[in-house]
Amino acid sequence: MRIDLAGRTAVVTGSSQGIGLSIATGLAGAGARVVLTGRTRERLESAAGALRATEPAAELLTVACDLATEQGAAELLDAVPAADILVNNLGIFGSRPPLDIADDEWRTYFDTNVLSAVRLIRRYLPGMTRRGWGRVQNIASDSAVVIPAEMIHYGMSKTALLAVSRGFAKEAAGTGVTVNSVIAGPTHTGGVEDFVHELVGADLPWDEAQRVFMREHRPQSLLQRLIEPEEIANLVVYLSSPQASATTGAAVRVDGGYIDSIVP
């Protein structure tokens, strides 16, 4: 399949590392002009360098802003008033005993993982619908459906993203704009490595720690390994393409077979 996104501008939030950077790299490889976002300019410049090492011809823009705030969203919109592709990847995660999660932490997870996406959809979607083409994708998680006991606040935020995606897809119905969520299973990033070691012990070598984590904490996985960020990026690039024009309002899975079923 030849995916050509030349002439399209793609905004990828939380793209200074991990899944976001892999998605940005995949979109750049398909010809899109890519906007990298993150809170720290130094990390963004490092990410841009890593992307250019893979895609030397990439057209890139970096915007340092805190998208968990209204001001950060306004800064991004000032720098990039219009987008053809919006990938809401920004998110935080962590483990906490359920009864120890305070109000402020609930709010932080909602503001960062949900409201940041809603703000950008609200601002970019009208332009997409006027032009008759656009792609919005919200990066959700298997935790949206199989809520982990150790991270209920994270699971809540990802479940909310499924509702956000479905609702805005209805708003964009018949316009040529698609809105979807991508349900990502446990993925191999630096932050997840730290999370895995936190749960299974810091002394285990990584390969063994990964196996123990999957066996004890994600036993339903058919892959029995963490997903690589590039595997998620492959799906996101497809959903961003003209070839995915009939997929909207969907929760599309890259979960390694972890989820047995999902109710739209």
Side-chain angles (χ1 to χ4, degrees):
M1 181 181 295
R2 296 182 182 273
I3 294 177
D4 184 2
L5 297 176
R8 305 294 189 186
T9 295
V11 173
V12 184
T13 71
S15 45
S16 64
Q17 62 180 341
I19 295 171
L21 181 55
S22 289
I23 290 171
T25 302
L27 292 170
R33 171 183 181 247
V34 175
V35 181
L36 301 175
T37 75
R39 290 180 298 177
T40 306
R41 177 155 300 283
E42 291 77 12
R43 292 180 66 177
L44 282 175
E45 293 303 326
S46 176
L51 196 158
R52 286 195 177 95
T54 302
E55 299 293 340
E59 184 180 356
L60 302 180
L61 175 67
T62 61
V63 181
C65 55
D66 183 358
L67 291 175
T69 67
E70 292 185 43
Q71 179 180 340
E75 291 168 356
L76 175 59
L77 266 292
D78 285 343
V80 187
D84 304 294
I85 299 164
L86 171 63
V87 182
N88 286 308
N89 170 72
L90 174 64
I92 56 174
F93 67 94
S95 62
R96 182 86 66 190
L99 298 180
D100 292 346
I101 306 171
D103 287 4
D104 284 348
E105 193 165 4
W106 282 103
R107 293 188 188 99
T108 297
Y109 270 75
F110 185 82
D111 286 345
T112 305
N113 293 4
V114 183
L115 197 51
S116 66
V118 171
R119 285 194 190 100
L120 295 186
I121 296 171
R122 209 168 54 216
R123 287 161 172 79
Y124 282 124
L125 189 63
M128 293 180 183
T129 57
R130 283 195 302 270
R131 294 187 297 272
W133 198 95
R135 300 287 185 265
V136 177
Q137 297 174 59
N138 298 313
I139 307 302
S141 165
D142 59 324
S143 296
V145 182
V146 186
I147 307 293
E150 73 277 4
M151 47 200 307
I152 293 176
H153 49 344
Y154 174 74
M156 171 277 300
S157 69
K158 294 302 182 177
T159 303
L161 276 183
L162 302 185
V164 165
S165 303
R166 185 71 177 177
F168 279 112
K170 292 180 178 180
E171 171 64 20
T175 67
V177 178
T178 66
V179 184
N180 295 291
S181 54
V182 174
I183 296 181
T187 306
H188 184 193
T189 65
V192 170
E193 283 196 17
D194 293 340
F195 176 68
V196 167
H197 281 300
E198 180 183 324
L199 290 179
V200 305
D203 297 333
L204 292 177
W206 169 245
D207 286 345
E208 184 178 351
Q210 178 179 198
R211 287 193 296 271
V212 172
F213 171 77
M214 297 304 292
R215 184 173 64 249
E216 295 183 357
H217 296 277
R218 301 294 186 268
Q220 297 96 323
S221 169
L222 300 182
L223 288 180
Q224 282 297 293
R225 64 168 175 83
L226 295 176
I227 297 167
E228 293 301 322
E230 294 78 9
E231 294 174 304
I232 296 171
N234 290 339
L235 178 59
V236 171
V237 171
Y238 166 70
L239 290 174
S240 300
S241 73
Q243 290 91 329
S245 57
T247 304
T248 191
V252 187
R253 296 163 47 182
V254 189
D255 62 32
Y258 182 56
I259 302 171
D260 289 329
S261 63
I262 183 168
V263 179

